[in-house]
Amino acid sequence: MSASKAKRAEVAERRKNAIQMVLAGLDYDTIAERLGYASRGAAHTDVSRAMAANLADVKKEAATLREVQARRYQRLLAAVWSKAIKADTDNLKAVETAARLVDRIVKLYGLAEPDKLDIDMSGTVTADDLMEIIRNAPAGDDPDADA
């Protein structure tokens, strides 16, 4: 192993150990002392960078998985679409299936309009008023409820 590869491996191992110590609840002074960082700030900076890099990797992987799932939904939708759009009474299940798939695609890509709440600010609203509104609100449509 070359010197730079050995150094990178050493840094990666130290970062892994530092993250494990943070998760175990150790403070950065202790982490710096045990792992040979120059200071508490150096340990904190190293852990922050490692966690940011990991988060970027997770986001990239999530985007890839989201695209794979979208393609699956699109293939399923294509399989039921022609039956769903036929004008007969035997296609209700295909229509429902197609509608659920479209809802899932919309949700996956975040395409739905957010629910809007109109609030009349001319009066006074108390916490009790808000709780009453919440208790009396309709349950709403949950596309995953029957999935």
Side-chain angles (χ1 to χ4, degrees), residues 112-118 138-141:
E113 282 280 331
D115 292 336
K116 296 188 181 182
L117 179 63
D118 292 326
D141 294 331

Side-chain angles (χ1 to χ4, degrees), residues 92-112:
L92 185 57
K93 188 159 179 75
V95 169
E96 290 170 350
T97 300
R100 276 198 308 270
L101 287 164
V102 169
D103 284 343
R104 288 175 187 242
I105 292 167
V106 165
K107 184 185 250 186
L108 187 67
Y109 284 118
L111 301 174

Side-chain angles (χ1 to χ4, degrees), residues 83-92 95:
K83 189 168 184 179
I85 61 172
K86 285 184 182 174
D88 62 43
T89 57
D90 294 334
N91 68 344
L92 185 57
V95 169

Side-chain angles (χ1 to χ4, degrees), residues 118-135:
D118 292 326
I119 299 177
D120 177 7
M121 298 302 287
S122 61
T124 302
V125 178
T126 66
D128 289 335
D129 295 333
L130 290 174
M131 290 306 298
E132 186 65 26
I133 291 168
I134 292 168
R135 277 193 291 276

Side-chain angles (χ1 to χ4, degrees), residues 57-71:
D57 290 345
V58 168
K59 285 181 179 182
K60 189 185 297 184
E61 187 174 322
T64 300
L65 292 173
R66 188 177 303 110
E67 189 57 34
V68 167
Q69 190 60 44
R71 289 175 190 231

